[in-house]
Amino acid sequence: MDGSHETKYVFVTGGVVSSLGKGIATSSIGALLRTRGYRVTAVKIDPYINVDAGTMRPYEHGEVFVTEDGAETDLDIGTYERFLDIDLGRSNNVTTGQVYQAVIQKERQGVYLSQTVQVIPHVTDEIKARIYQAGEESNAEIVLVEVGGTVGDIESLPFLEAIRQVRFEVGRDRTLYLHVTLLPYLGSSEEYKTKPTQHSVATLRGVGIQPDGLILRSRSALPPEARSKIALFTNVEVDAVFSAYDADHVYAVPEMLEQQGIAKLLERHLKLERVTPELRVWHEAVRVLRQPEASVNIGVVGKYVAMPDAYLSLMEALKHAGIANRARVDIDWVSAEAVADGDLDQLSAFDGVLVPGGFGVRGIEGKVRAARFAREEGVPFLGICLGLQVAVIDYARHVAGLEGANSTEFDPYTPHPVIDLMPEQLEVDGMGGTMRLGSWPMRVSPGTLLAELYAGRLEAAAVAGHPSTVFERHRHRYEVNPAYVDALKAAGLVVGGVTPGMEGRGGGLVEAVELSDHPFFLGVQSHPEFTSRLMRPSPPFTGFIRAAVARRRGDAVAAVPA
Ligand code: GLN
């Protein structure tokens, strides 16, 4: 049984096809509850057997999101954080792998001694315990639980059974089931087809769950006849059938659902107090996205250019920074391999160049070239994690005169390993969850670009009693080699931030580098995109876009406001 007698649970399942935007739907509902002042948390259930998303290819699965506590999670956790404006953690992403790992461990410890260990009740109990725990840990009034995959999948069955049991345990007033499906549109007959939705709801009913509401994905707003027809066939009240039609911006979805009264369903069913939501931030964001005062073109030089979901948080952080600068940010994906082959022309068209995080040698020389180009041509540059590392490689090779400088990740025999494995990584043998992960402090040097960008947070930090220190999330194994820090500094590279407490390592593990005679050139070892929010854009991104806007306008010196 769950610990609190008040926590309420909203379950979101999906049907018909995958990649429906269940995460956006769940997050939008969360946003509508948050803007009503409720304490909300969200749990993503991933029925795959991986323990976490950290070992999966971003090219297939989308980005690996990193939480404050260093969990490597599904990208939906990032969407929840951005929409709900809360920090989540390890317990917000539940996978089959974690559940079985725990059950098997308990079996070996003798916790179930003398019993036959089975899916029901042992696995389902473990799932329920995790759902309840997420609510308790965060002291949430409402827990949103999104079940990944599609109803009918073999893998999701134990999870559906577990969420069915939750209503059995805590009661109808404290549980709400929403089902998200796709309504395909047939051009020849000019109508939305409802049959797949009917079948999907029938399958859900087959495992004992009658949805209380439907969210129907379609190309355009749903005609009223289709709504009543679906209501009749699925046994869902007409005013609990919502149309989630294709939106021009994801941040327009909360309002779209609000207008149709989705919150009223929640209030009614979960017996919540009626509260008027405060949607100003959302209105304003969508307004700027629709009517920007400026626009910039950012070239993102990466490996997974054919799969934008692989860089989801990065794209959102750029969007947030754009909104803060009242500008539209157009992203052009540039294949690092094409740049390596000498295709530099396209880079000159950009108002800013960004090299995102990444792993492996593929495309590395192209990224180094892109950093060099931005440095030499005075184009605003932001390097994230690997992006910092390639900027340092370029600087070492072409300014500090360290010929052949490289990272030992890409060339173990380089004469100048300016980027090298962190000493603590030498002892690591497994691959899952073994990087330097999660939130780490960064001590910011006064008088730097970094200090100007983080001014607001530094003031807050001083008040909070940790002066000059801000926190960002990390996910890496390599660092700037302390043995080369003095040589790089002597050649003019500015180290704007270091990890405090690691002073032995060349004055501290390098967290950020910049150039003084450049409109905007910044590399950070962290991933500030993970903490960027609509309401609180990330400082490096905001500064980068501000510089890009200035470049587009033709201002001589861009950079930071006084
Ligand atoms: N591959 C690099 C490292 O492990 C960079 C990682 C990243 O960009 N997230 O240090």
Side-chain angles (χ1 to χ4, degrees), residues 357-359 384-386 389 409 475-478 527:
F359 297 84
I384 311 258
C385 204
L386 178 67
Q389 298 177 358
E409 181 180 3
R475 182 173 189 250
H476 64 123
R477 291 188 202 280
Y478 292 79
H527 286 273

Side-chain angles (χ1 to χ4, degrees), residues 195-382:
K195 193 75 79 186
T197 297
Q198 296 175 39
H199 282 298
S200 177
V201 172
T203 308
L204 200 52
R205 235 188 266 127
V207 296
I209 298 170
Q210 161 65 45
D212 304 300
L214 296 177
I215 298 174
L216 305 169
R217 291 280 297 110
S218 55
R219 284 201 330 207
S220 54
L222 204 58
E225 324 80 74
R227 231 168 145 153
S228 4
K229 182 175 170 189
I230 291 169
L232 176 67
F233 281 121
T234 55
N235 207 19
V236 171
E237 291 166 36
V238 185
D239 54 4
V241 178
F242 304 97
S243 169
Y245 47 91
D246 290 352
D248 53 350
H249 298 287
V250 284
Y251 298 123
V253 179
E255 265 219 271
M256 176 195 292
L257 293 175
E258 173 70 20
Q259 277 163 6
Q260 297 174 52
I262 202 161
K264 291 205 182 84
L265 170 70
L266 270 74
E267 286 167 352
R268 213 166 49 231
H269 187 105
L270 298 174
K271 309 231 170 349
L272 301 174
E273 218 178 293
R274 286 234 170 139
V275 191
T276 312
E278 175 51 86
L279 289 166
R280 219 179 34 227
V281 181
W282 298 86
H283 283 305
E284 182 55 15
V286 174
R287 198 187 62 74
V288 175
L289 286 168
R290 288 183 181 151
Q291 295 159 343
E293 288 164 19
S295 75
V296 288
N297 253 343
I298 302 299
V300 178
V301 185
K303 184 157 85 166
Y304 301 123
V305 290
M307 169 70 167
D309 260 6
Y311 300 110
L312 185 61
S313 294
L314 186 86
M315 286 162 59
E316 294 309 306
L318 285 169
K319 210 185 280 173
H320 301 161
I323 293 169
N325 285 289
R326 317 215 142 266
R328 189 180 75 220
V329 178
D330 293 319
I331 299 174
D332 271 315
W333 301 98
V334 182
S335 153
E337 284 167 298
V339 178
D341 291 340
D343 186 1
L344 286 174
D345 286 352
Q346 48 174 342
L347 293 180
S348 14
F350 298 128
D351 306 306
V353 169
L354 192 153
V355 178
F359 297 84
V361 70
R362 210 178 97 197
I364 279 303
E365 288 308 317
K367 293 176 190 179
V368 175
R369 276 188 109 136
R372 179 181 188 176
F373 178 86
R375 175 175 60 77
E376 289 178 344
E377 302 297 320
V379 179
F381 174 85
L382 181 59

Side-chain angles (χ1 to χ4, degrees), residues 110-130:
V111 175
Y112 310 122
L113 211 56
S114 82
Q115 299 174 41
T116 308
V117 182
Q118 294 178 298
V119 172
I120 307 171
H122 301 97
V123 167
T124 48
D125 279 354
E126 186 66 37
I127 296 168
K128 279 183 294 176
R130 278 157 196 263

